[in-house]
Amino acid sequence: MMRAVQKCMPSWFERCLPSVTCAHPSASDDEVYAQVAAAVAESIAAAERHSGKSTQGHLRLSVPECVHDVTPKWLTAAMRLKGLIEPDGEVVAVQWVRIGEGLGIMAECALVTIEVKGAKPDTPRQFVVKFAPKANIWDVHIRIGLRNEFHFYTDFTVKSGGLPHPLCYLALAEHGLTESLTEKLGGQKPAFFLMIEYLGDAPFSRIGGCADMQRLRTLMATLATFHARWWDHPPLEWTCHPEVGLGSMLFRSPYYKSVLKEAIPALKAWPGNPYEKVLEWCPMLLKRMHTIVAHLREGPYTLLHNDVHLDNIFFTDSGGCSFIDMSNMIFGNSLQDVAYFLATNLTPEFRRAHERELVGHYHRCLLAGLGVTEETFSFEQCWTEYRWQTLHVFLTFAVFTARSFDQQRRTQTGSYSSPSVRTPGEIAQLRIYQGDRRNPGFNGRLAAALVDLECNKLIEEEHARKRAQRSTFTLPTLFPPRPRGTPRGTPGSSGTGTPSSVKVQPEDLDLLNMVKQGLHGWKDDEDEAAARKAGGRTLAERAM
């Protein structure tokens, strides 16, 4: 399996570094840091060279809706247009098999194998195709996910994006990925299609975990390079940001508080009650939600993969790794990617023994990039943020998945449907979160991390710190607002662009209108409480 990955996928350093030899397991830390610095610099330079240019042209092709549409005739036209075969080349046979079931991939995927006449030396004979899902296509999360993946593959090369990923041979989208969410477009569903490089099978899985420290250090270095590339970058129009549009509306304490309240019964319903100790914190979490979200909203932000798990990661023997599934991309705190991976992909015993070393390696690699220094982001801050973001993983991923599985359980659908109709993918999904006799799964691992890292004490310490600050300093000097128009600089660039200069996408506007109704009632309650306390909260908390 690893041999197949090595054959299909050049190493990360071969792709992302200019004229630098591949990282070897015996490479020193200084060599790794130098390679990280070179990768960030080259990524930024590549982005500037390709600024405003899409890697995909406007091709006159129909957008396949399912694998049956990927015929020899259609592939011949597509591969000729993209220069993947000779001008008179032809795809003469197509075979395919569905892949990705049960791995969290929301869209339909298939592995396609072709026979070609008139091939070029680099013509792919095997590749992955990905389509828009057949169900819930109007769900806003799916629509945003498709938009994220389409833009990251088409707006950036592997180097300019800073995150190693499969080559994208073709990306197509139409019918609503950029139109209004509430407009049905004459009954047409949004069409989406990716044709990407096949990397082989992921060598590790979320269920089995990974205990290979060399590969985990490689992963930490890769994430640090990606995060340094986008550190304090202005928002992008196509993905959520905590300070702009949709992100600014959802990243609010009333929203988090409401979602947690609704999720408590679902969290209790998991077999074995893995969150038993964490559920004891819930009254405190609800009471301190303003403090929690105020801290989670603090920048600087970077672009996140936001779904860093072992089924989405491919390692190579020569020292690199690559990622798939860009649908969850979002701007946020860099340690969210790190916390999500360490807390939910490693066994509790292995994580306890190695997490501080891995977070330290991530931090040192982050400092090797441009724009991040020990003075502005010390290891102590990095470790504290790792603890905070582990809590954030609970308030987002754990809460939403618990509600989804609880609904399936109550309706006897999906992973809880009868054995005669339950799919292998649905069985695997339940096992990933619920675990089995040999491993505690997502839930047990995350619950153990929350308790080990004493995230409850972290919240109370933050609350006490802010109370002490309020009693010592005046509010205006405690959290001075950023002047309007102040640029959020890109590492290595002039720092042009501000959050306010980015247009809110039409689908964001539609969703904002839907969200505002719920937020309006929450905001009224919040304003009343603020008026009664007459200044009893910090400005950052009042901004929630």
Side-chain angles (χ1 to χ4, degrees):
M1 187 177 297
M2 280 301 298
R3 190 175 305 147
V5 178
Q6 171 65 21
K7 180 179 179 181
C8 297
M9 172 67 186
S11 79
W12 170 60
F13 291 110
E14 289 175 16
R15 285 197 173 175
C16 292
L17 294 184
S19 303
V20 178
T21 58
C22 298
H24 189 272
S26 63
S28 69
D29 285 349
D30 287 342
E31 290 174 315
V32 172
Y33 305 152
Q35 290 169 334
V36 168
V40 175
E42 172 60 16
S43 179
I44 293 168
E48 292 174 350
R49 290 194 299 269
H50 293 88
S51 178
K53 300 178 182 178
S54 173
T55 61
Q56 299 290 330
H58 297 285
L59 305 178
R60 295 183 178 275
L61 288 169
S62 61
V63 183
E65 294 188 4
C66 67
V67 72
H68 298 286
D69 294 337
V70 184
T71 63
K73 181 179 179 180
W74 186 91
L75 277 172
T76 296
M79 296 182 78
R80 284 178 180 177
L81 281 169
K82 293 299 294 180
L84 296 172
I85 56 177
E86 297 292 349
D88 60 348
E90 181 183 5
V91 177
V92 297
V94 177
Q95 294 181 325
W96 56 267
V97 60
R98 285 192 172 88
I99 59 173
E101 280 194 299
L103 301 180
I105 299 174
M106 66 180 181
E108 179 185 356
C109 294
L111 175 62
V112 176
T113 304
I114 61 174
E115 295 180 21
V116 182
K117 289 182 179 179
K120 293 183 176 181
D122 58 348
T123 296
R125 299 320 203 277
Q126 201 171 46
F127 46 82
V128 173
V129 292
K130 186 172 182 178
F131 310 89
K134 295 179 180 179
N136 299 321
I137 190 59
W138 299 110
D139 183 274
V140 64
H141 299 293
I142 292 178
R143 298 284 297 282
I144 290 175
L146 297 181
R147 187 178 72 178
N148 283 351
E149 191 147 36
F150 179 82
H151 275 284
F152 193 76
Y153 274 120
T154 60
D155 292 1
F156 304 98
T157 64
V158 174
K159 281 187 177 180
S160 66
L163 184 69
H165 60 71
L167 295 176
C168 182
Y169 302 122
L170 177 64
L172 298 171
E174 62 180 22
H175 301 327
L177 274 185
T178 57
E179 282 85 356
S180 168
L181 282 172
T182 57
E183 185 180 353
K184 298 298 183 182
L185 299 167
Q188 290 178 303
K189 73 175 186 178
F192 168 87
F193 174 80
L194 287 179
M195 175 177 163
I196 60 177
E197 180 183 12
Y198 175 54
L199 305 183
D201 296 323
F204 302 98
S205 69
R206 281 187 282 181
I207 294 175
C210 175
D212 186 327
M213 279 297 290
Q214 181 57 42
R215 299 202 186 280
L216 295 176
R217 285 169 62 86
T218 295
L219 173 60
M220 293 296 106
T222 307
L223 287 175
T225 304
F226 175 54
H227 295 154
R229 156 68 178 91
W230 294 96
W231 193 265
D232 212 14
H233 192 281
L236 299 170
E237 292 185 354
W238 48 266
T239 193
C240 289
H241 189 288
E243 293 184 349
V244 177
L246 172 64
S248 66
M249 293 296 293
L250 296 180
F251 214 131
R252 299 163 66 95
S253 58
Y255 177 77
Y256 277 72
K257 188 174 183 178
S258 173
V259 170
L260 178 58
K261 277 183 178 179
E262 295 177 8
I264 289 175
L267 290 165
K268 291 180 177 179
W270 279 114
N273 199 8
Y275 291 107
E276 181 178 7
K277 293 184 179 179
V278 179
L279 286 168
E280 295 175 1
W281 306 349
C282 281
M284 180 272 293
L285 294 177
L286 294 170
K287 182 179 180 180
R288 303 289 188 226
M289 194 61 72
H290 288 301
T291 298
I292 295 169
V293 177
H295 183 92
L296 294 178
R297 281 181 66 101
E298 294 177 1
Y301 307 115
T302 189
L303 188 59
L304 306 176
H305 179 276
N306 204 31
D307 199 13
V308 182
H309 60 71
L310 287 166
D311 293 317
N312 281 341
I313 302 169
F314 296 79
F315 295 96
T316 70
D317 289 333
S318 58
C321 67
S322 185
F323 293 77
I324 62 170
D325 194 358
M326 316 300 173
S327 59
N328 283 345
M329 279 189 157
I330 190 173
F331 275 89
N333 186 292
S334 67
L335 271 298
Q336 184 173 328
D337 274 347
V338 177
Y340 180 81
F341 179 83
L342 297 183
T344 67
N345 287 260
L346 308 181
T347 64
E349 297 77 15
F350 186 86
R351 173 190 50 77
R352 291 176 188 125
H354 300 286
E355 64 184 335
R356 196 168 188 90
E357 177 186 350
L358 290 168
V359 173
H361 185 62
Y362 168 84
H363 178 254
R364 291 189 295 274
C365 290
L366 188 66
L367 297 185
L370 304 177
V372 189
T373 66
E374 179 71 32
E375 289 71 26
T376 59
F377 195 61
S378 66
F379 174 72
E380 288 72 21
Q381 290 174 286
C382 184
W383 180 256
T384 299
E385 288 306 316
Y386 168 65
R387 296 172 64 198
W388 274 105
Q389 293 306 316
T390 302
L391 175 66
H392 197 192
V393 171
F394 170 72
L395 294 175
T396 50
F397 289 92
V399 163
F400 283 102
T401 54
R403 293 176 64 185
S404 175
F405 279 108
D406 188 52
Q407 182 180 15
Q408 294 176 41
R409 180 184 59 79
R410 288 184 285 104
T411 58
Q412 294 296 290
T413 58
S415 296
Y416 289 90
S417 56
S418 64
S420 61
V421 299
R422 193 184 310 163
T423 67
E426 290 167 340
I427 295 172
Q429 274 288 295
L430 186 61
R431 186 182 172 205
I432 285 172
Y433 288 91
Q434 188 171 297
D436 54 32
R437 292 181 179 179
R438 291 182 295 177
N439 74 78
F442 178 101
N443 295 327
R445 292 170 178 173
L446 178 58
L450 290 163
V451 174
D452 292 342
L453 295 169
E454 298 184 319
C455 293
N456 56 329
K457 294 183 179 179
L458 188 69
I459 299 164
E460 294 292 16
E461 290 168 0
E462 178 73 359
H463 181 71
R465 184 182 68 82
K466 289 190 173 183
R467 289 189 62 182
Q469 287 179 332
R470 286 198 299 268
S471 65
T472 306
F473 302 102
T474 59
L475 290 174
T477 59
L478 184 58
F479 290 99
R482 176 186 299 153
R484 298 291 291 180
T486 301
R488 296 175 67 90
T490 306
S493 74
S494 58
T496 58
T498 67
S500 60
S501 68
V502 177
K503 296 179 181 178
V504 177
Q505 294 295 296
E507 50 264 62
D508 288 350
L509 288 173
D510 292 328
L511 185 61
L512 290 179
N513 291 331
M514 291 184 273
V515 173
K516 281 179 180 177
Q517 298 179 8
L519 290 178
H520 183 71
W522 297 333
K523 192 68 172 64
D524 287 345
D525 294 340
E526 185 180 352
D527 290 342
E528 289 179 12
R532 287 195 302 270
K533 293 186 178 180
R537 295 186 1 239
T538 68
L539 288 180
E541 290 172 327
R542 288 184 182 183
M544 297 298 102

